[in-house]
Amino acid sequence: MSGKTIRIGIIGLDSSHAPVFTQLLNDKNHAYHVPGGEVTVAFPGGSADFEMSYSRVEGFTAQVRDKYGVKIVDSPEEVADACDAILMVSVDGRVHLELFRRIAAYRKPIFIDKPMALSSSDAKSIVELAQLHDIPMMSCSSLRYAEAMTEALLESESGSIIGMDCYGPLAMQPTQPGLFWYGVHTAEMLFKALGKGCVKVSAVTNDEHDLITGVWENGIIGTIRGNRKGNSEFGALLHRETKTQYIDVYRHPKPYYASLMEKIMSMFVTGTLDIDMEETLQIMRFLEAANESRESGLEVYL
């Protein structure tokens, strides 16, 4: 697909990511415009029992249609038929597997926005479907690609990584249980730094805060502090042998959505994934295990 403008279709116009991604791709005057693709077609979708979905789909649909000239169609299949690559940004993680089942046979490269699914079994089904049809596919949070995060991981003068503590908002959303709704952001940061191999998870929770602790097979401990009180900013402390680095994800002028979109476009063009799918599946299981520990108060092995 290299050498021409890739026609990109969006499935799900009930997330703020839909107009954000469309602007990055379609607005050549944007300071962080990502070249090579253009959003040309979209299916609104929406979930009738999810207020953050049904209350926003009309406004975001109007925005991408009227401001960016995106053609609005009546089904995911119409999107898949009319484009070269797909952004599935439906805000409701419950619908991702079924939507993907409907379009997998079109074999278009796809980015599935967070959370990929709301169970490790559904996530595994999505990956297996992608592999069956030989579809390049990735799913992640944009926080994984925050420029401050990237820079911190490249700076190795202070020795190897010995731990990480991440923090961020952790609002509860009944339709997207526990950490699947917002914990995915901090979990992505944690796994970006520590990699695969988390073996057990434990959670301490009350009405206002969660503390999730993961232990990796190499002995490294990583934590997530999820807040429902106080500020709603993301960040992290990356511990190395001789120094602890503070990761301020808002410091860099380049928005992390733009950094993510560059990785997505690279996958659309080359078919090469930036994230090991096994890592993505481990993140889904990590979130699920953290939820189990939140309920039981017990340590959960992955």
Side-chain angles (χ1 to χ4, degrees):
M1 277 191 261
S2 59
K4 67 166 186 170
T5 299
I6 295 172
R7 299 170 304 161
I8 295 172
I10 288 182
I11 294 175
L13 295 174
D14 54 351
S15 163
S16 59
H17 295 183
V20 167
F21 289 160
T22 302
Q23 182 183 31
L24 285 168
L25 290 162
N26 291 27
D27 182 0
K28 292 181 172 61
N29 295 317
H30 191 284
Y32 296 99
H33 168 64
V34 180
E38 181 184 359
V39 178
T40 56
V41 61
F43 165 66
S47 300
D49 64 343
F50 186 4
E51 196 270 341
M52 284 193 73
S53 171
Y54 67 74
S55 68
R56 301 192 296 174
V57 66
E58 188 178 335
F60 291 145
T61 299
Q63 203 172 331
V64 301
R65 180 191 62 222
D66 301 341
K67 193 170 182 180
Y68 299 105
V70 176
K71 180 182 180 183
I72 306 301
V73 295
D74 297 325
S75 71
E77 291 85 351
E78 287 179 81
V79 170
D81 188 53
C83 70
D84 303 309
I86 296 167
L87 299 170
M88 185 185 291
V89 298
S90 304
V91 76
D92 185 353
R94 295 174 299 176
V95 304
H96 290 171
L97 174 56
E98 180 53 35
L99 287 171
F100 190 46
R101 281 187 176 132
R102 291 175 62 176
I103 61 168
Y106 291 85
R107 302 181 67 183
K108 303 294 171 73
I110 187 168
F111 170 77
I112 301 178
D113 212 347
K114 61 84 199 164
M116 180 164 76
L118 299 184
S119 69
S120 59
S121 61
D122 275 9
K124 188 177 179 185
S125 295
I126 289 172
V127 170
E128 288 173 348
L129 199 55
Q131 291 170 341
L132 176 67
H133 292 280
D134 196 25
I135 299 169
M137 187 266 287
M138 66 183 280
S139 176
C140 67
S141 157
S142 56
L143 269 295
R144 165 181 283 265
Y145 295 115
E147 291 298 315
M149 178 84 178
T150 302
E151 290 170 3
L153 292 174
L154 288 172
E155 193 276 288
S156 57
E157 293 170 9
S158 305
S160 56
I161 294 169
I162 60 171
M164 191 182 200
D165 301 307
C166 302
Y167 62 87
L170 192 61
M172 292 290 113
Q173 170 53 245
T175 66
Q176 321 287 303
L179 271 75
F180 280 110
W181 179 235
Y182 249 67
V184 64
H185 294 301
T186 39
E188 286 273 354
M189 294 173 70
L190 198 59
F191 274 76
K192 173 72 172 176
L194 304 186
K196 296 182 291 187
C198 182
V199 292
K200 60 182 179 179
V201 176
S202 58
V204 177
T205 182
N206 61 29
D207 289 345
E208 296 174 344
H209 308 284
D210 278 37
L211 183 65
I212 313 297
T213 302
V215 180
W216 266 249
E217 58 193 0
N218 58 6
I220 287 177
I221 295 174
T223 68
I224 290 173
R225 179 184 177 87
N227 299 313
R228 287 175 291 280
K229 181 181 181 180
N231 73 78
S232 58
E233 293 193 339
F234 290 100
L237 293 173
L238 183 64
H239 306 294
R240 293 187 181 272
E241 289 170 310
T242 63
K243 179 183 174 184
T244 292
Q245 298 161 272
Y246 167 51
I247 299 176
D248 177 3
V249 300
Y250 308 102
R251 177 179 56 79
H252 202 283
K254 183 178 182 180
Y256 33 79
Y257 291 115
S259 304
L260 168 61
M261 183 51 64
E262 288 172 353
K263 297 294 184 182
I264 295 170
M265 281 303 304
S266 176
M267 179 193 68
F268 286 168
V269 171
T270 66
T272 302
L273 312 185
D274 187 64
I275 310 170
D276 181 348
M277 265 300 117
E278 183 56 39
E279 182 175 319
T280 299
L281 289 176
Q282 285 190 20
I283 292 169
M284 291 293 104
R285 178 59 191 140
F286 175 92
L287 298 172
E288 188 174 62
N291 285 351
E292 292 167 10
S293 183
R294 289 180 85 248
E295 293 293 325
S296 69
L298 303 174
E299 202 169 57
V300 176
Y301 282 80
L302 276 65

